[in-house]
């Protein structure tokens, strides 16, 4: 008989990893990372191939979590992009000095 996995166990939070944002349990892979690749057009299979230690079930679980919490994850993605842009501008300013 096949083992049944409670999908609620596939995503968790760890305050010591990535600032307590949702991650795929047992990994350091954030739901945010999976959502970004998904939004760039990667399929579930392609994401699982790129991060080859993840199963299809783990990637699907991350996407389910993303869709259930889309507003929060998208806000997190936008904040991360804004911070990266701020740091890039700061770095460019320092190079010119």
């Amino acid at each position: 008989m096949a083992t049944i996995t409670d999908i609620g166990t596939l995503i968790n939070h760890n305050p010591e990893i990535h600032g307590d944002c949702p991650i795929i349990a047992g990994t350091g892979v954030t739901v945010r990372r999976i959502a970004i690749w998904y939004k760039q057009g990667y399929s579930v299979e392609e994401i699982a191939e790129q991060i080859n230690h993840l199963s299809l079930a783990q990637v699907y679980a991350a996407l389910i979590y993303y869709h259930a919490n889309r507003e929060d994850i998208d806000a997190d993605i936008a904040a991360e992009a804004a911070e990266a842009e701020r740091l890039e501008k700061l770095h460019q300013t320092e190079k010119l000095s």
Side-chain angles (χ1 to χ4, degrees), residues 33-42 47 63 66-67 70:
R33 180 175 177 193
I34 300 300
I36 289 169
W37 285 18
Y38 171 76
K39 290 171 71 162
Q40 290 176 345
Y42 285 82
I47 295 169
L63 290 173
Y66 167 65
H67 286 290
R70 191 176 200 143

Side-chain angles (χ1 to χ4, degrees), residues 39 65-79:
K39 290 171 71 162
Y65 187 96
Y66 167 65
H67 286 290
N69 300 281
R70 191 176 200 143
E71 225 174 81
D72 291 338
I73 302 294
D74 283 346
D76 190 33
I77 291 168

Side-chain angles (χ1 to χ4, degrees), residues 3-97:
T3 303
I4 296 177
T5 301
D6 175 1
I7 64 168
T9 64
L10 295 177
I11 305 296
N12 63 24
H13 298 259
N14 183 334
E16 296 176 12
I17 300 174
H18 298 293
D20 203 32
C21 68
I23 60 173
I24 298 173
T27 77
V29 179
T30 62
V31 170
R32 176 181 58 226
R33 180 175 177 193
I34 300 300
I36 289 169
W37 285 18
Y38 171 76
K39 290 171 71 162
Q40 290 176 345
Y42 285 82
S43 70
V44 171
E45 291 79 8
E46 290 170 326
I47 295 169
E49 285 175 16
Q50 291 295 315
I51 311 172
N52 61 10
H53 64 278
L54 296 181
S55 68
L56 289 175
Q58 289 172 307
V59 176
Y60 274 113
L63 290 173
I64 290 167
Y65 187 96
Y66 167 65
H67 286 290
N69 300 281
R70 191 176 200 143
E71 225 174 81
D72 291 338
I73 302 294
D74 283 346
D76 190 33
I77 291 168
E80 184 179 62
E83 179 64 6
E85 185 176 323
R86 184 189 73 77
L87 292 172
E88 178 64 28
K89 284 180 183 176
L90 179 66
H91 181 69
Q92 288 175 353
T93 302
E94 289 174 355
K95 281 176 122 176
L96 296 175
S97 298

